[in-house]
């Protein structure tokens, strides 16, 4: 069955960087668009970014535009999220999600916690 | 910005009874060229990621019990659980995926518990 496994998050100081990865298994990553979504503690869900199946289309929420970059290596069946200039308000559980552009989010990873704190 | 609002924020329903959750989008999510409503419902249990229940406003995802149903069109939508089971205790979110540029806003969530 479809599996998405995010890398370990952790505690990061404000202003620093962190790269998350998401390994896809039991399906061919190159066939699907992918998203990152985060969930702040006790609060709701927020879409962050989308990348098309071959990486030629990227899009970002205003809250992370210019700081976060999505990428993918289809040969490794892996999705990435490079997060720079992290802020305390970026503290959240981060999910990688399989889903098309303008489509529902069919499969979610288990999520990884990122805490931005000094 | 497009806003998606759910009501109520929390809901307590007796086992075997019907639960109804509402979702309203500030803009229509009905795409006239294919007559589809770009709206989904998700269920999230504690410590788990969200799980897709309904897409295109009324299509059940694979493996979702038929006690879950979605209805509505345009800006107003409803998720109904016909006979509440104990395992349905969760937070439910609606999401619209119509907007361009891409935004994919979620509702704030509705916490469903047993009365």
């Amino acid at each position: 069955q479809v599996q998405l496994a995010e890398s370990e998050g952790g505690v990061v100081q404000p202003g620093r960087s962190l790269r998350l990865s998401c390994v896809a298994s039991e399906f061919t990553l190159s066939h699907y668009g992918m998203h990152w979504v985060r969930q702040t503690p006790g609060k709701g869900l927020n879409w962050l970014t989308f990348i098309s199946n071959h990486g030629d289309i990227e899009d970002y929420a205003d809250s992370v535009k210019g700081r976060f970059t999505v990428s993918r290596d289809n040969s490794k069946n892996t999705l990435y999220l490079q997060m720079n200039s992290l802020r305390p308000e970026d503290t959240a559980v981060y999910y990688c999600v399989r889903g098309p552009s303008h489509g529902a989010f069919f499969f979610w990873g288990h999520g990884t916690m990122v805490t931005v704190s000094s | 910005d497009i806003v998606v609002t759910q009501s109520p924020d929390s809901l307590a329903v007796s086992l075997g009874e019907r639960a109804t959750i509402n979702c309203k989008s500030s803009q229509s999510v009905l795409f006239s060229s294919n007559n589809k409503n770009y709206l989904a419902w998700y269920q999230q249990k504690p410590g788990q990621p969200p799980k897709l229940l309904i897409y295109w406003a009324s299509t059940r995802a694979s493996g979702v019990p038929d006690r879950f149903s979605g209805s509505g069109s345009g800006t107003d939508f409803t998720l109904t659980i016909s006979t509440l089971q104990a395992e349905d205790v969760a937070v439910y979110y609606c999401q619209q995926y119509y907007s361009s540029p891409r935004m994919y806003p979620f509702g704030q969530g509705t916490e469903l518990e047993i009365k």
Side-chain angles (χ1 to χ4, degrees):
Chain A
Q1 71 198 44
V2 169
Q3 290 192 38
L4 294 165
E6 297 95 342
S7 57
E8 197 80 16
V11 180
V12 184
Q13 291 181 328
R16 303 299 290 265
S17 298
L18 183 68
R19 188 177 81 160
L20 300 179
S21 60
C22 170
V23 177
S25 52
E26 304 304 321
F27 72 98
T28 303
L29 188 66
S30 63
H31 292 175
Y32 295 93
M34 297 292 294
H35 304 260
W36 287 95
V37 175
R38 71 185 177 189
Q39 186 168 31
T40 50
K43 295 194 177 178
L45 296 158
N46 293 99
W47 170 79
L48 298 179
T49 180
F50 166 78
I51 185 167
S52 59
N53 59 329
H54 294 301
D56 52 328
I57 298 172
E58 296 173 25
D59 208 354
Y60 298 89
D62 287 344
S63 58
V64 302
K65 198 174 294 183
R67 298 191 300 125
F68 289 13
T69 302
V70 63
S71 62
R72 60 195 298 157
D73 185 339
N74 287 337
S75 69
K76 296 181 179 178
N77 248 25
T78 302
L79 176 74
Y80 301 99
L81 182 67
Q82 177 68 42
M83 303 186 292
N84 298 332
S85 304
L86 283 162
R87 306 166 180 168
E89 56 265 34
D90 294 319
T91 295
V93 175
Y94 286 73
Y95 296 100
C96 65
V97 183
R98 191 181 97 176
S101 176
H102 299 299
F105 292 1
F106 276 78
F107 294 102
W108 297 63
H110 56 80
T112 188
M113 182 71 203
V114 174
T115 301
V116 183
S117 173
S118 52
Chain B
D1 282 2
I2 297 172
V3 177
V4 177
T5 305
Q6 294 178 228
S7 62
D9 289 336
S10 63
L11 181 62
V13 175
S14 301
L15 289 172
E17 295 299 305
R18 177 186 299 259
T20 301
I21 299 170
N22 300 302
C23 175
K24 187 175 184 68
S25 174
S26 60
Q27 294 184 16
S28 175
V29 301
L30 175 62
F31 192 39
S32 56
S33 67
N34 60 10
N35 202 37
K36 288 183 180 290
N37 285 284
Y38 285 52
L39 187 112
W41 289 95
Y42 302 86
Q43 175 194 64
Q44 186 176 31
K45 297 182 179 180
Q48 296 184 20
K51 171 190 170 185
L52 178 65
L53 293 177
I54 303 281
Y55 59 101
W56 300 131
S58 60
T59 301
R60 269 189 302 276
S62 177
V64 174
D66 61 7
R67 64 180 181 273
F68 291 90
S69 64
S71 63
S73 185
T75 60
D76 294 279
F77 300 88
T78 300
L79 174 71
T80 301
I81 308 172
S82 58
T83 49
L84 189 70
Q85 306 295 307
E87 61 263 32
D88 300 333
V89 170
V91 180
Y92 292 83
Y93 295 92
C94 61
Q95 177 210 27
Q96 71 104 319
Y97 45 93
Y98 176 85
S99 54
S100 181
R102 297 176 188 86
M103 291 178 65
Y104 307 101
F106 290 85
Q108 79 276 19
T110 295
E111 188 168 6
L112 176 60
E113 60 183 24
I114 305 296
K115 185 187 292 183

